Amino acid sequence: MSKNTKFLLVSLPASISPTSDHDEALTALRSAVTLDYGTVFPFTIPDFKIGTLDALVQQADDLAKLDVACEGVVGKVGDSLKTILESDEDKISQSKTVNDKPAEKYLKSFHWNKVKYRADKPLGEIIDTLQKEVNSIDNQVKDKYNSYNSVKTNLTQLQRRQTGNLATKALTTVVPPSLLIRDSDYLESHLIAVPRNLNKDFFRAYETLSPMVVPRSAVQIAADDEFTLYAVTTFKKHSQEFVHKCRESKWTPRDFKYKEGGKEEEDKELEKVEKDERKVWEQALRLGRTAWGEAVMAWVHVLALRVFVETVLRYGLPLNFVCGLVRTTGKLAKKARASLDARFSYLGGNAFGRDKKGRVTKDDSSTSADMQAAGHMGDGGDYSAYVCYDFEVR
Protein backbone atom coordinates (compact mmCIF):
# COMPACT_ATOMS: atom_id res chain seq x y z
CA MET A 1 0.00 0.00 0.00
CA SER A 2 1.26 3.45 -0.90
CA LYS A 3 2.33 5.55 2.08
CA ASN A 4 0.21 8.38 0.71
CA THR A 5 -3.01 6.34 0.60
CA LYS A 6 -5.83 7.60 2.79
CA PHE A 7 -9.33 6.23 3.34
CA LEU A 8 -12.64 7.85 4.19
CA LEU A 9 -15.43 5.73 5.63
CA VAL A 10 -18.67 7.52 4.73
CA SER A 11 -22.24 6.74 5.77
CA LEU A 12 -25.23 8.47 4.16
CA PRO A 13 -28.98 7.94 4.46
CA ALA A 14 -30.40 6.02 1.52
CA SER A 15 -32.80 8.94 1.08
CA ILE A 16 -30.09 10.79 -0.86
CA SER A 17 -31.47 8.89 -3.86
CA PRO A 18 -35.07 9.61 -5.00
CA THR A 19 -36.11 5.98 -4.48
CA SER A 20 -34.03 5.36 -1.29
CA ASP A 21 -32.41 2.50 -3.17
CA HIS A 22 -29.01 1.40 -1.81
CA ASP A 23 -27.37 1.01 -5.22
CA GLU A 24 -28.63 4.41 -6.33
CA ALA A 25 -27.43 5.95 -3.05
CA LEU A 26 -23.97 4.43 -3.60
CA THR A 27 -23.98 5.85 -7.13
CA ALA A 28 -24.83 9.28 -5.67
CA LEU A 29 -21.88 8.95 -3.28
CA ARG A 30 -19.58 8.05 -6.16
CA SER A 31 -20.77 10.99 -8.24
CA ALA A 32 -20.14 13.33 -5.28
CA VAL A 33 -16.56 12.16 -4.80
CA THR A 34 -15.76 11.70 -8.52
CA LEU A 35 -12.72 9.82 -9.78
CA ASP A 36 -10.75 13.06 -9.61
CA TYR A 37 -10.63 12.84 -5.82
CA GLY A 38 -10.90 9.13 -5.06
CA THR A 39 -12.51 5.76 -5.73
CA VAL A 40 -15.58 4.56 -3.82
CA PHE A 41 -16.11 0.93 -2.84
CA PRO A 42 -19.19 -0.49 -1.10
CA PHE A 43 -18.57 -1.18 2.61
CA THR A 44 -21.17 -3.54 4.07
CA ILE A 45 -22.07 -3.19 7.75
CA PRO A 46 -24.52 -5.64 9.32
CA ASP A 47 -27.48 -4.66 11.47
CA PHE A 48 -26.65 -4.83 15.18
CA LYS A 49 -28.81 -4.95 18.27
CA ILE A 50 -29.53 -1.38 19.26
CA GLY A 51 -29.94 -0.50 22.93
CA THR A 52 -31.05 2.72 24.57
CA LEU A 53 -30.07 6.20 23.42
CA ASP A 54 -27.92 6.66 26.52
CA ALA A 55 -26.13 3.39 25.79
CA LEU A 56 -25.48 4.44 22.18
CA VAL A 57 -24.00 7.76 23.26
CA GLN A 58 -21.70 5.97 25.72
CA GLN A 59 -20.75 3.40 23.08
CA ALA A 60 -19.90 6.17 20.63
CA ASP A 61 -17.49 7.57 23.22
CA ASP A 62 -16.02 4.12 23.98
CA LEU A 63 -15.54 3.38 20.28
CA ALA A 64 -13.80 6.73 19.69
CA LYS A 65 -11.25 5.82 22.38
CA LEU A 66 -10.90 2.27 21.08
CA ASP A 67 -10.34 3.63 17.56
CA VAL A 68 -7.36 5.64 18.83
CA ALA A 69 -6.05 2.62 20.77
CA CYS A 70 -6.30 0.37 17.70
CA GLU A 71 -4.44 2.85 15.52
CA GLY A 72 -1.74 3.03 18.19
CA VAL A 73 -1.35 -0.76 18.36
CA VAL A 74 -1.17 -1.06 14.55
CA GLY A 75 1.54 1.63 14.58
CA LYS A 76 3.52 -0.05 17.37
CA VAL A 77 3.41 -3.46 15.70
CA GLY A 78 4.50 -1.81 12.46
CA ASP A 79 7.43 -0.16 14.25
CA SER A 80 8.41 -3.55 15.71
CA LEU A 81 8.41 -5.10 12.24
CA LYS A 82 10.51 -2.20 10.97
CA THR A 83 13.10 -2.82 13.67
CA ILE A 84 13.11 -6.60 13.22
CA LEU A 85 13.46 -6.29 9.44
CA GLU A 86 16.04 -3.48 9.74
CA SER A 87 13.91 -0.96 7.81
CA ASP A 88 13.84 -3.10 4.64
CA GLU A 89 10.73 -1.57 3.03
CA ASP A 90 10.13 -4.46 0.62
CA LYS A 91 10.21 -7.07 3.38
CA ILE A 92 8.09 -4.86 5.66
CA SER A 93 5.48 -4.46 2.91
CA GLN A 94 5.42 -8.23 2.32
CA SER A 95 4.92 -8.82 6.06
CA LYS A 96 1.96 -6.46 6.37
CA THR A 97 -1.02 -8.52 5.26
CA VAL A 98 -4.54 -9.13 6.58
CA ASN A 99 -5.93 -12.63 6.05
CA ASP A 100 -2.97 -13.30 3.72
CA LYS A 101 -3.77 -10.38 1.42
CA PRO A 102 -2.69 -6.72 1.27
CA ALA A 103 -4.52 -4.43 3.69
CA GLU A 104 -6.02 -2.39 0.84
CA LYS A 105 -7.48 -5.48 -0.78
CA TYR A 106 -8.92 -6.54 2.59
CA LEU A 107 -10.57 -3.14 3.00
CA LYS A 108 -12.02 -3.13 -0.49
CA SER A 109 -13.62 -6.55 0.05
CA PHE A 110 -14.51 -6.09 3.73
CA HIS A 111 -17.11 -8.39 5.24
CA TRP A 112 -17.96 -8.44 8.91
CA ASN A 113 -16.36 -11.48 10.60
CA LYS A 114 -19.50 -13.01 12.09
CA VAL A 115 -17.59 -15.97 13.54
CA LYS A 116 -15.08 -13.90 15.48
CA TYR A 117 -17.39 -11.00 16.32
CA ARG A 118 -20.94 -12.31 16.42
CA ALA A 119 -23.27 -9.62 15.08
CA ASP A 120 -26.22 -11.06 17.02
CA LYS A 121 -24.56 -10.12 20.32
CA PRO A 122 -25.31 -6.79 22.03
CA LEU A 123 -23.07 -3.93 20.89
CA GLY A 124 -21.51 -3.64 24.35
CA GLU A 125 -20.31 -7.26 24.23
CA ILE A 126 -18.80 -6.86 20.76
CA ILE A 127 -16.96 -3.71 21.84
CA ASP A 128 -15.67 -5.51 24.95
CA THR A 129 -14.44 -8.43 22.80
CA LEU A 130 -12.57 -6.07 20.48
CA GLN A 131 -11.08 -4.18 23.43
CA LYS A 132 -9.73 -7.40 24.98
CA GLU A 133 -8.35 -8.60 21.66
CA VAL A 134 -6.49 -5.34 20.97
CA ASN A 135 -5.03 -5.32 24.50
CA SER A 136 -3.93 -8.93 24.09
CA ILE A 137 -2.21 -8.21 20.75
CA ASP A 138 -0.45 -5.21 22.27
CA ASN A 139 0.81 -7.18 25.28
CA GLN A 140 1.95 -10.21 23.27
CA VAL A 141 3.95 -8.14 20.79
CA LYS A 142 5.41 -6.00 23.58
CA ASP A 143 6.57 -9.07 25.54
CA LYS A 144 8.08 -10.81 22.52
CA TYR A 145 9.73 -7.63 21.26
CA ASN A 146 11.25 -7.00 24.72
CA SER A 147 12.60 -10.57 24.70
CA TYR A 148 14.13 -10.01 21.29
CA ASN A 149 15.68 -6.71 22.37
CA SER A 150 17.19 -8.39 25.44
CA VAL A 151 18.77 -11.21 23.40
CA LYS A 152 19.90 -8.76 20.71
CA THR A 153 21.55 -6.51 23.30
CA ASN A 154 23.30 -9.50 24.85
CA LEU A 155 24.58 -10.59 21.43
CA THR A 156 25.77 -7.08 20.58
CA GLN A 157 27.72 -6.92 23.83
CA LEU A 158 29.34 -10.29 23.17
CA GLN A 159 30.24 -9.28 19.62
CA ARG A 160 31.75 -6.05 20.90
CA ARG A 161 33.85 -8.12 23.27
CA GLN A 162 35.16 -10.00 20.25
CA THR A 163 35.75 -7.06 17.93
CA GLY A 164 35.85 -3.88 20.03
CA ASN A 165 38.82 -1.81 21.12
CA LEU A 166 41.06 -2.62 24.09
CA ALA A 167 38.73 -0.74 26.44
CA THR A 168 35.81 -3.09 25.69
CA LYS A 169 36.91 -6.32 23.98
CA ALA A 170 37.55 -9.65 25.68
CA LEU A 171 41.18 -9.98 26.73
CA THR A 172 41.46 -13.77 26.84
CA THR A 173 43.54 -13.92 23.65
CA VAL A 174 45.29 -10.59 24.30
CA VAL A 175 46.90 -11.01 27.72
CA PRO A 176 49.67 -13.62 28.18
CA PRO A 177 49.13 -15.25 31.59
CA SER A 178 52.89 -15.01 32.25
CA LEU A 179 52.60 -11.21 32.60
CA LEU A 180 50.04 -11.41 35.41
CA ILE A 181 50.74 -11.93 39.11
CA ARG A 182 48.55 -14.76 40.37
CA ASP A 183 48.12 -16.46 43.73
CA SER A 184 49.94 -13.72 45.66
CA ASP A 185 48.80 -12.72 49.15
CA TYR A 186 50.02 -9.15 48.79
CA LEU A 187 50.46 -8.14 45.15
CA GLU A 188 47.92 -7.77 42.35
CA SER A 189 48.14 -7.01 38.61
CA HIS A 190 45.82 -4.40 37.08
CA LEU A 191 45.09 -4.06 33.38
CA ILE A 192 44.60 -0.43 32.32
CA ALA A 193 43.44 0.71 28.85
CA VAL A 194 44.91 4.17 28.28
CA PRO A 195 43.83 6.43 25.37
CA ARG A 196 46.82 6.79 23.07
CA ASN A 197 46.94 10.56 23.50
CA LEU A 198 47.32 10.08 27.27
CA ASN A 199 50.24 7.64 27.24
CA LYS A 200 52.77 10.24 28.41
CA ASP A 201 50.48 11.36 31.22
CA PHE A 202 50.10 7.74 32.26
CA PHE A 203 53.83 7.14 32.61
CA ARG A 204 54.31 10.40 34.49
CA ALA A 205 51.54 9.71 36.98
CA TYR A 206 50.80 6.02 37.51
CA GLU A 207 53.50 5.37 40.17
CA THR A 208 52.12 8.13 42.42
CA LEU A 209 48.48 7.63 41.68
CA SER A 210 47.99 5.79 44.99
CA PRO A 211 50.24 4.43 47.75
CA MET A 212 52.23 1.26 47.21
CA VAL A 213 52.30 1.09 43.42
CA VAL A 214 55.28 -1.03 42.41
CA PRO A 215 57.74 1.33 40.67
CA ARG A 216 58.40 0.74 36.98
CA SER A 217 55.88 -2.13 36.95
CA ALA A 218 53.93 -0.84 33.94
CA VAL A 219 54.27 -3.22 31.02
CA GLN A 220 52.71 -2.61 27.61
CA ILE A 221 50.69 -5.66 26.58
CA ALA A 222 48.93 -4.53 23.41
CA ALA A 223 47.88 -1.45 21.42
CA ASP A 224 45.24 -0.58 18.85
CA ASP A 225 44.20 2.63 17.07
CA GLU A 226 42.55 4.04 20.19
CA PHE A 227 44.08 2.51 23.32
CA THR A 228 47.24 1.04 24.78
CA LEU A 229 46.83 -1.76 27.31
CA TYR A 230 49.21 -1.82 30.29
CA ALA A 231 49.69 -4.16 33.23
CA VAL A 232 50.52 -2.41 36.53
CA THR A 233 51.32 -4.06 39.87
CA THR A 234 50.12 -2.70 43.22
CA PHE A 235 49.72 -3.97 46.75
CA LYS A 236 46.24 -5.40 47.25
CA LYS A 237 45.42 -3.15 50.21
CA HIS A 238 45.54 -0.10 47.87
CA SER A 239 44.06 -1.71 44.74
CA GLN A 240 40.65 -0.11 45.11
CA GLU A 241 42.11 3.38 45.45
CA PHE A 242 44.39 2.83 42.44
CA VAL A 243 41.48 1.70 40.25
CA HIS A 244 39.38 4.68 41.36
CA LYS A 245 42.20 7.13 40.54
CA CYS A 246 42.62 5.51 37.11
CA ARG A 247 38.99 6.23 36.30
CA GLU A 248 39.40 9.81 37.46
CA SER A 249 42.34 10.14 35.07
CA LYS A 250 40.13 8.85 32.19
CA TRP A 251 41.98 5.54 31.98
CA THR A 252 39.86 2.40 31.77
CA PRO A 253 40.58 -0.37 34.31
CA ARG A 254 39.79 -3.78 32.81
CA ASP A 255 38.38 -6.48 35.04
CA PHE A 256 40.19 -9.63 33.96
CA LYS A 257 40.91 -12.94 35.62
CA TYR A 258 42.86 -15.50 33.67
CA LYS A 259 41.01 -18.77 33.23
CA GLU A 260 42.24 -21.92 31.49
CA GLY A 261 40.08 -22.59 28.44
CA GLY A 262 38.48 -19.15 28.68
CA LYS A 263 38.62 -18.54 24.90
CA GLU A 264 36.75 -21.76 24.16
CA GLU A 265 34.06 -20.83 26.69
CA GLU A 266 33.63 -17.38 25.13
CA ASP A 267 33.29 -18.89 21.65
CA LYS A 268 30.67 -21.37 22.88
CA GLU A 269 28.72 -18.61 24.64
CA LEU A 270 28.76 -16.45 21.50
CA GLU A 271 27.56 -19.35 19.35
CA LYS A 272 24.75 -20.12 21.79
CA VAL A 273 23.56 -16.50 21.97
CA GLU A 274 23.70 -16.22 18.14
CA LYS A 275 21.38 -19.24 17.90
CA ASP A 276 19.09 -17.81 20.59
CA GLU A 277 18.95 -14.46 18.80
CA ARG A 278 18.03 -16.10 15.49
CA LYS A 279 15.32 -18.20 17.18
CA VAL A 280 13.74 -15.24 18.98
CA TRP A 281 14.05 -13.12 15.81
CA GLU A 282 12.04 -15.69 13.85
CA GLN A 283 9.43 -15.87 16.63
CA ALA A 284 9.17 -12.07 16.82
CA LEU A 285 8.82 -11.77 13.04
CA ARG A 286 6.17 -14.49 12.89
CA LEU A 287 4.20 -12.90 15.74
CA GLY A 288 4.65 -9.40 14.26
CA ARG A 289 3.20 -10.48 10.92
CA THR A 290 0.22 -12.18 12.53
CA ALA A 291 -0.36 -9.43 15.08
CA TRP A 292 -0.27 -6.64 12.49
CA GLY A 293 -2.96 -8.33 10.41
CA GLU A 294 -5.12 -9.07 13.46
CA ALA A 295 -4.71 -5.52 14.78
CA VAL A 296 -5.76 -4.02 11.43
CA MET A 297 -8.72 -6.40 11.25
CA ALA A 298 -9.85 -5.42 14.75
CA TRP A 299 -9.37 -1.73 13.92
CA VAL A 300 -11.51 -1.93 10.77
CA HIS A 301 -14.26 -3.67 12.74
CA VAL A 302 -14.09 -0.89 15.35
CA LEU A 303 -14.42 1.68 12.56
CA ALA A 304 -17.41 -0.19 11.18
CA LEU A 305 -19.03 -0.09 14.62
CA ARG A 306 -18.27 3.64 14.93
CA VAL A 307 -20.00 4.25 11.62
CA PHE A 308 -23.01 2.15 12.64
CA VAL A 309 -23.47 3.79 16.05
CA GLU A 310 -23.00 7.30 14.68
CA THR A 311 -25.38 6.51 11.82
CA VAL A 312 -28.11 5.53 14.30
CA LEU A 313 -27.46 8.67 16.37
CA ARG A 314 -27.32 10.92 13.32
CA TYR A 315 -30.04 9.58 11.00
CA GLY A 316 -32.35 7.82 13.48
CA LEU A 317 -34.58 4.79 13.07
CA PRO A 318 -35.67 2.87 11.07
CA LEU A 319 -32.16 2.35 9.69
CA ASN A 320 -31.75 2.78 5.95
CA PHE A 321 -28.26 3.88 5.01
CA VAL A 322 -25.43 3.21 2.59
CA CYS A 323 -21.75 3.03 3.55
CA GLY A 324 -18.85 3.52 1.21
CA LEU A 325 -15.08 3.31 1.49
CA VAL A 326 -13.33 6.15 -0.33
CA ARG A 327 -9.76 5.44 -1.37
CA THR A 328 -7.94 8.71 -1.84
CA THR A 329 -4.61 10.38 -0.97
CA GLY A 330 -3.46 12.76 1.70
CA LYS A 331 -3.57 15.69 -0.72
CA LEU A 332 -6.92 14.81 -2.29
CA ALA A 333 -8.73 13.88 0.95
CA LYS A 334 -9.60 17.52 1.72
CA LYS A 335 -10.96 18.03 -1.77
CA ALA A 336 -13.01 14.84 -1.49
CA ARG A 337 -14.45 16.06 1.82
CA ALA A 338 -15.18 19.49 0.32
CA SER A 339 -16.98 17.84 -2.57
CA LEU A 340 -19.04 15.72 -0.17
CA ASP A 341 -19.82 18.80 1.92
CA ALA A 342 -21.04 20.65 -1.16
CA ARG A 343 -23.30 17.75 -2.20
CA PHE A 344 -24.69 16.70 1.20
CA SER A 345 -24.51 19.82 3.37
CA TYR A 346 -28.31 19.92 3.51
CA LEU A 347 -28.18 16.86 5.81
CA GLY A 348 -26.67 19.10 8.49
CA GLY A 349 -29.70 21.37 8.69
CA ASN A 350 -28.92 24.74 10.31
CA ALA A 351 -25.31 23.78 10.94
CA PHE A 352 -24.48 24.59 7.29
CA GLY A 353 -25.26 27.43 4.95
CA ARG A 354 -23.94 28.99 1.75
CA ASP A 355 -22.15 32.26 1.13
CA LYS A 356 -22.97 34.75 -1.63
CA LYS A 357 -21.00 32.69 -4.14
CA GLY A 358 -22.90 29.54 -3.28
CA ARG A 359 -20.04 27.92 -1.39
CA VAL A 360 -20.85 25.76 1.62
CA THR A 361 -20.10 27.39 4.97
CA LYS A 362 -20.35 26.01 8.48
CA ASP A 363 -22.20 27.82 11.24
CA ASP A 364 -20.47 29.52 14.15
CA SER A 365 -18.60 27.80 16.99
CA SER A 366 -21.68 27.66 19.20
CA THR A 367 -23.24 25.18 16.79
CA SER A 368 -20.09 23.07 16.88
CA ALA A 369 -20.15 23.15 20.68
CA ASP A 370 -23.74 21.91 20.68
CA MET A 371 -22.88 19.15 18.25
CA GLN A 372 -19.86 18.11 20.29
CA ALA A 373 -21.96 17.93 23.44
CA ALA A 374 -24.41 15.70 21.59
CA GLY A 375 -21.61 13.38 20.48
CA HIS A 376 -21.85 14.22 16.77
CA MET A 377 -18.36 15.55 16.14
CA GLY A 378 -16.13 13.80 13.66
CA ASP A 379 -12.41 13.20 13.97
CA GLY A 380 -10.49 16.26 15.07
CA GLY A 381 -13.60 17.92 16.51
CA ASP A 382 -14.82 18.99 13.05
CA TYR A 383 -18.56 18.54 12.48
CA SER A 384 -19.72 17.31 9.10
CA ALA A 385 -23.24 16.99 7.77
CA TYR A 386 -22.81 13.24 7.28
CA VAL A 387 -20.99 10.39 9.05
CA CYS A 388 -17.35 10.27 7.96
CA TYR A 389 -14.17 8.91 9.51
CA ASP A 390 -10.78 9.14 7.83
CA PHE A 391 -7.84 6.81 8.53
CA GLU A 392 -4.51 5.60 7.16
CA VAL A 393 -3.15 2.06 7.49
CA ARG A 394 0.63 2.15 7.88
Side-chain angles (χ1 to χ4, degrees):
M1 185 187 300
S2 169
K3 288 184 177 181
N4 197 34
T5 301
K6 192 166 188 173
F7 296 98
L8 307 178
L9 205 49
V10 181
S11 167
L12 294 161
S15 60
I16 61 172
S17 75
T19 61
S20 295
D21 179 75
H22 278 221
D23 291 338
E24 288 183 9
L26 188 63
T27 300
L29 172 59
R30 286 192 172 113
S31 65
V33 174
T34 76
L35 291 175
D36 293 334
Y37 302 141
T39 308
V40 178
F41 301 91
F43 192 92
T44 306
I45 299 177
D47 290 331
F48 298 100
K49 289 184 177 180
I50 300 169
T52 64
L53 177 61
D54 287 345
L56 282 171
V57 172
Q58 181 59 53
Q59 287 159 359
D61 185 51
D62 293 341
L63 285 165
K65 294 174 183 176
L66 186 53
D67 182 1
V68 173
C70 288
E71 183 177 10
V73 171
V74 171
K76 283 189 281 186
V77 178
D79 289 341
S80 297
L81 282 172
K82 185 176 181 179
T83 300
I84 292 166
L85 294 172
E86 299 179 336
S87 300
D88 188 319
E89 292 298 333
D90 289 338
K91 290 181 179 178
I92 292 170
S93 179
Q94 292 168 13
S95 298
K96 289 183 173 181
T97 59
V98 186
N99 282 352
D100 297 322
K101 52 190 173 185
E104 184 171 325
K105 189 173 182 180
Y106 169 76
L107 284 164
K108 290 177 181 178
S109 59
F110 174 78
H111 290 284
W112 184 270
N113 190 332
K114 294 183 179 180
V115 176
K116 201 170 185 179
Y117 316 108
R118 289 180 54 183
D120 60 341
K121 292 286 185 179
L123 277 172
E125 285 188 29
I126 301 173
I127 295 170
D128 187 54
T129 298
L130 284 161
Q131 177 75 68
K132 290 177 179 177
E133 182 181 6
V134 171
N135 288 342
S136 176
I137 293 170
D138 190 23
N139 290 331
Q140 286 181 39
V141 173
K142 192 183 300 179
D143 290 345
K144 182 57 69 176
Y145 185 59
N146 287 341
S147 297
Y148 172 70
N149 270 343
S150 178
V151 176
K152 182 70 174 177
T153 299
N154 191 16
L155 177 61
T156 301
Q157 290 173 345
L158 287 173
Q159 289 172 335
R160 283 183 62 196
R161 286 174 59 81
Q162 295 280 336
T163 60
N165 57 44
L166 288 169
T168 59
K169 72 183 297 182
L171 300 177
T172 307
T173 59
V174 176
V175 181
S178 59
L179 293 180
L180 301 178
I181 295 175
R182 293 181 286 167
D183 305 322
S184 171
D185 293 333
Y186 303 102
L187 298 176
E188 185 174 14
S189 293
H190 299 279
L191 297 177
I192 310 298
V194 179
R196 296 193 64 142
N197 63 332
L198 299 179
N199 277 336
K200 290 182 180 180
D201 294 340
F202 170 77
F203 276 106
R204 276 198 301 264
Y206 85 90
E207 292 180 351
T208 57
L209 208 59
S210 71
M212 304 187 79
V213 177
V214 176
R216 299 183 182 181
S217 62
V219 177
Q220 180 177 327
I221 294 176
D224 60 23
D225 292 339
E226 299 175 67
F227 292 89
T228 304
L229 185 69
Y230 296 98
V232 178
T233 305
T234 71
F235 279 76
K236 285 185 176 180
K237 63 185 295 185
H238 292 286
S239 289
Q240 191 171 352
E241 182 182 354
F242 178 76
V243 169
H244 177 69
K245 293 290 186 180
C246 284
R247 289 196 176 98
E248 287 186 346
S249 301
K250 297 183 180 178
W251 311 334
T252 305
R254 297 299 313 276
D255 186 16
F256 175 76
K257 300 293 182 185
Y258 177 76
K259 184 178 180 181
E260 195 72 38
K263 179 65 169 67
E264 289 75 13
E265 284 188 13
E266 287 180 358
D267 290 342
K268 286 181 181 178
E269 183 182 10
L270 178 61
E271 183 180 354
K272 177 183 179 300
V273 175
E274 284 176 338
K275 288 181 179 178
D276 289 345
E277 189 270 345
R278 186 64 191 178
K279 180 180 178 182
V280 178
W281 180 87
E282 290 174 349
Q283 292 173 347
L285 178 58
R286 188 160 53 247
L287 177 61
R289 286 170 170 166
T290 303
W292 192 86
E294 290 180 347
V296 170
M297 189 188 305
W299 185 19
V300 176
H301 281 75
V302 168
L303 285 165
L305 284 177
R306 283 197 79 183
V307 169
F308 178 84
V309 170
E310 182 63 21
T311 296
V312 176
L313 291 172
R314 188 75 69 92
Y315 306 140
L317 297 174
L319 273 181
N320 189 16
F321 70 100
V322 65
C323 184
L325 177 75
V326 182
R327 182 196 183 279
T328 182
T329 65
K331 286 185 177 180
L332 293 177
K334 288 184 179 180
K335 293 182 179 180
R337 289 291 295 265
S339 182
L340 287 166
D341 286 343
R343 182 71 173 271
F344 302 115
S345 62
Y346 67 90
L347 295 172
N350 294 331
F352 287 80
R354 292 184 181 272
D355 60 17
K356 292 179 181 180
K357 295 183 179 180
R359 293 173 300 193
V360 174
T361 60
K362 296 181 182 180
D363 208 343
D364 59 26
S365 58
S366 62
T367 301
S368 292
D370 291 341
M371 294 298 179
Q372 191 168 27
H376 296 314
M377 297 300 285
D379 293 333
D382 187 23
Y383 176 73
S384 61
Y386 47 89
V387 178
C388 182
Y389 296 109
D390 59 78
F391 63 99
E392 298 175 67
V393 181
R394 294 178 177 174

